[in-house]
Amino acid sequence: MYSKSGCLDEAIKVFDGMVGRDVQAWTAMITGLGVHGRAEAALQLFRRMEDEGTRPNEVTFLSVLNACSHGGLVAAAKECFERMVYRYGLSPKMEHYGCLIDLFGRAGILEEAHELIRSMPFEGDAVAWRALLAACRVHGNVELGEVAQRTLVSLGDEHPSDVILLSSTYAAADRWADIEQLGSVGADNAMEKKKAGRSLIEMDVPGLLPTTIMGD
């Protein structure tokens, strides 16, 4: 409660005053530190949690990975992910992969983010590919941006923002012809998906039953 309210010092006081701390208490404090931008402190608390004999769970690792993502701590995030799998035998979920993909994208290591998405033991996830596409725009990686956009189309999870992101990537590379072509394809797809509108009007005429008229 204190962490969510912005009173991090009060949260720390309550945590430090606890006689016994379970995994939920440790995780809540790690989350609070991460949310408030104190990634290094969150990592230190995680190590202290291990040293004092409390076993972290999947939520704990998600909190640590989130803290690493916000703090740009690539090496620490990789170590945490490997620790989760190999030391504790926990199976990462999409949320754990998402934190790493977001972190790799922020750091500009896009090929590593791409390989991570391809190695996930799940079917293609549009959120992950869209995060990669956004990172490609920031770092100007046209080729990988095209791969991400085509994958989103093949997944059937297209969104107008995808075309905007790829167009911005083309613009940064002065590929204006590609922008024009992309705009034409997007317009054609929009026309194909657009359905004719229909209107319903209910008429209540005295002496007759209510009548519904449908028109295009």
Side-chain angles (χ1 to χ4, degrees):
M1 181 191 70
Y2 280 129
S3 296
K4 290 181 178 179
S5 301
C7 305
L8 188 60
D9 290 339
E10 294 297 324
I12 293 173
K13 287 180 183 178
V14 174
F15 180 80
D16 289 341
M18 295 179 68
V19 176
R21 304 182 186 93
D22 59 9
V23 65
Q24 286 82 7
W26 287 100
T27 301
M29 193 67 254
I30 291 170
T31 301
L33 291 168
V35 167
H36 288 276
R38 297 178 58 178
E40 291 287 356
L43 279 173
Q44 291 175 6
L45 189 64
F46 172 69
R47 297 188 185 105
R48 179 181 155 196
M49 172 185 179
E50 289 186 306
D51 291 341
E52 294 190 14
T54 302
R55 179 184 174 86
N57 58 24
E58 295 172 347
V59 182
T60 310
F61 279 104
L62 184 59
S63 296
V64 177
L65 287 172
N66 267 313
C68 291
S69 179
H70 290 299
L73 306 178
V74 176
K78 289 181 180 179
E79 180 186 356
C80 174
F81 192 85
E82 291 174 357
R83 204 172 186 80
M84 174 183 178
V85 175
Y86 298 112
R87 176 168 179 175
Y88 293 101
L90 299 172
S91 299
K93 293 185 169 53
M94 188 59 236
E95 292 82 0
H96 300 94
Y97 283 99
C99 285
L100 278 184
I101 294 165
D102 179 68
L103 175 55
F104 291 167
R106 290 170 185 260
I109 45 179
L110 304 184
E111 290 296 340
E112 196 161 347
H114 184 209
E115 288 302 318
L116 182 61
I117 294 174
R118 294 177 60 185
S119 69
M120 294 189 307
F122 315 104
E123 295 183 3
D125 183 82
V127 175
W129 284 105
R130 192 161 287 119
L132 178 61
L133 177 57
C136 288
R137 181 192 65 80
V138 173
H139 297 284
N141 192 322
V142 174
E143 290 72 21
L144 194 53
E146 290 176 330
V147 171
Q149 196 268 342
R150 285 197 300 268
T151 304
L152 286 166
V153 172
S154 68
L155 291 173
D157 197 325
E158 298 173 74
H159 191 274
S161 63
D162 302 339
V163 175
I164 295 172
L165 289 171
L166 188 55
S167 295
S168 299
T169 310
Y170 283 144
D174 291 329
R175 292 174 54 170
W176 306 105
D178 290 318
I179 293 177
E180 184 177 353
Q181 183 179 2
L182 184 64
S184 299
V185 173
D188 291 341
N189 290 341
M191 289 298 293
E192 289 178 5
K193 293 181 178 180
K194 188 174 182 180
K195 297 180 180 179
R198 290 179 176 271
S199 300
L200 292 176
I201 301 175
E202 185 172 289
M203 300 182 65
D204 191 0
V205 181
L208 298 176
L209 292 174
T211 303
T212 300
I213 301 175
M214 178 181 293
D216 293 337

